Amino acid sequence: MKVMITGAAGFLGRRLTQALIARGMLTGPDGTDQPITRLILADLTEPPLPEAEGIEVIRHTGDLSDPAIRDALCAEPYDALFHLASQLTLHAEQDPDGAWDVNVAPLRALIAAAQGRPRIVFASSIAVFGGHLPTEVTDDIAPLPETTYGIHKAVNELLLLDASRHGRIDGRALRLPIVLIRPGVTQPVVSDRVAAIAREPLEGRDMEAPLTPEAEVPVISAGAVIDGLIALHDAPARLLPPKRALNLPALTVTVAEMVAAASRAGATGKVTFAPDEQMQRVVNSWPRHFASHYAKGLGIGPDASFDAIIQDYLTHREGSA
Ligand SMILES: NC(=O)c1ccc[n+]([C@@H]2O[C@H](COP(=O)([O-])OP(=O)(O)OC[C@H]3O[C@@H](n4cnc5c(N)ncnc54)[C@H](O)[C@@H]3O)[C@@H](O)[C@H]2O)c1
């Protein structure tokens, strides 16, 4: 089975690559388990070459907003696609047109190139939600994005829905909350600035948290996301919601709880608070609590505690930095 991952050099792409190699199998378009024989890894920066006995690994390095790079990737036949490549919130706000070429155009081209009705799993985001939201956001709440990034995610969900309706692909979208804890140095993206609140003290570095201690954030570990993406891929289509997009239920924690859990795990860096107005506004526009009847039915769920999220980071930080 030929499996393509875009964004394969990223935080989640690397973990997904490793998880698929360890698993060695996925459900094929016909619904039967099939061995993975070829992995096609695409990213702007070269994805690391994984050890993958018995699996042919092909790497496509280049900017997917460049039509020549996109065409080369689209010429690769695939039986399953995990579409993770994306520009994130702050970049998309600064350059909405450029972000469209990265966030939307490649998925559209990959759908057009699809053969044999492959399953496509798309990493969507809770950023599709906005406006007046109930305390608990379920799969039934209609998207109303308040950022360009959220709009691009919602557009992609609809592209997958329409192409699935036409029988060209079997698309599925999982709306991720804030995924923690990205290794490395702090990046100027909202999710990583949240991650830094736990990561920096765990790495022995002092940090200024850009949110108030009371701010609530819906979070999940990278490990739980990868399990969720693979479970969604393998799920029979009859168990999906009609719109083929579902929320990944998150653990809701306050910033103060994150800091306390990091301290329990032995963090030595000190945290002070210096809320950033733009950052707080973006986070405030996200829902706090998620529920997904469909995710629950597929065994897709949140981490048990923030301590478990820290443990996931401590276990994987060396290999994925
Ligand atoms: N991490 C989170 O908190 C979070 C939350 C919600 C949704 N998501 C979604 O999950 C997916 C993966 O997120 P991540 O945390 O691994 O992000 P990431 O930034 O680490 O990975 C994204 C990858 O996309 C690649 N990319 C960006 N522009 C590209 C281009 N023009 N051409 C080719 N590749 C390009 C980047 O090089 C990067 O490796 C994204 O679609 C993101 O929107 C992530």
Side-chain angles (χ1 to χ4, degrees):
M1 184 168 173
K2 302 177 190 72
V3 180
M4 183 183 285
I5 303 175
T6 69
F11 170 40
L12 295 175
R14 290 175 188 223
R15 288 282 298 268
L16 178 62
T17 303
Q18 292 300 337
L20 289 177
I21 291 169
R23 214 163 175 270
M25 307 281 288
L26 272 182
T27 302
D30 66 356
T32 63
D33 282 353
Q34 294 179 21
I36 299 170
T37 52
R38 187 172 156 101
L39 262 182
I40 305 137
L41 307 178
D43 205 296
L44 184 59
T45 56
E46 186 169 66
L49 188 62
E51 278 182 37
E53 213 184 313
I55 301 177
E56 183 188 11
V57 180
I58 307 290
R59 290 180 292 177
H60 281 254
T61 305
D63 186 343
L64 285 172
S65 67
D66 176 339
I69 300 284
R70 208 157 58 217
D71 289 351
L73 186 65
C74 289
E76 292 275 2
Y78 64 90
D79 304 306
L81 165 63
F82 291 87
H83 183 54
L84 272 56
S86 180
Q87 280 200 349
L88 306 183
T89 308
L90 297 180
H91 286 126
E93 285 304 303
Q94 285 156 6
D95 178 13
D97 295 335
W100 175 276
D101 293 343
V102 176
N103 292 350
V104 181
L107 179 62
R108 195 157 172 260
L110 284 162
I111 290 172
Q115 289 167 20
R117 203 163 179 265
R119 293 186 184 185
I120 298 183
V121 175
F122 170 57
S124 188
S125 166
I126 56 170
V128 297
F129 295 112
H132 294 293
L133 291 166
T135 315
E136 185 173 80
V137 173
T138 62
D139 291 321
D140 302 327
I141 305 286
L144 184 58
E146 294 183 359
T147 60
T148 298
Y149 168 77
I151 287 189
H152 292 170
K153 292 292 188 191
V155 168
N156 279 356
E157 288 185 4
L158 292 175
L159 287 178
L160 288 177
L161 180 61
D162 196 41
S164 299
R165 189 176 61 80
H166 283 286
R168 297 169 75 173
I169 60 153
D170 180 344
R172 294 118 192 260
L174 194 60
R175 294 170 177 150
L176 313 187
I178 301 171
V179 188
L180 304 180
I181 298 168
R182 185 187 293 264
V185 294
T186 305
Q187 303 295 315
V189 297
V190 175
S191 59
D192 196 50
R193 294 181 71 198
V194 174
I197 296 168
R199 182 188 56 231
E200 295 304 295
L202 283 168
E203 297 299 340
R205 298 187 286 259
D206 296 346
M207 75 102 45
E208 281 190 341
L211 297 168
T212 62
E214 304 76 32
E216 287 188 312
V217 278
V219 294
I220 194 159
S221 70
V225 170
I226 301 309
D227 289 348
L229 291 172
I230 294 174
L232 182 58
H233 176 277
D234 280 359
R238 66 187 155 74
L239 299 183
L240 301 176
K243 63 186 172 191
R244 290 179 167 265
L246 50 115
N247 302 339
L248 177 45
L251 180 73
T252 301
V253 290
T254 63
V255 169
E257 285 165 349
M258 290 172 60
V259 174
S263 175
R264 279 196 294 280
T268 53
K270 287 196 178 56
V271 180
T272 51
F273 294 90
D276 170 316
E277 203 181 312
Q278 191 193 2
M279 168 95 176
Q280 189 83 50
R281 200 171 46 244
V282 171
V283 170
N284 286 350
S285 76
W286 295 343
R288 299 285 180 279
H289 297 277
F290 285 96
S292 171
H293 161 74
Y294 290 97
K296 205 170 171 191
L298 297 174
I300 298 173
D303 301 271
S305 63
F306 198 75
D307 303 80
I309 295 179
I310 288 181
Q311 201 48 53
D312 179 76
Y313 167 67
L314 295 176
T315 307
H316 290 92
R317 64 178 162 180
E318 305 303 340
S320 56

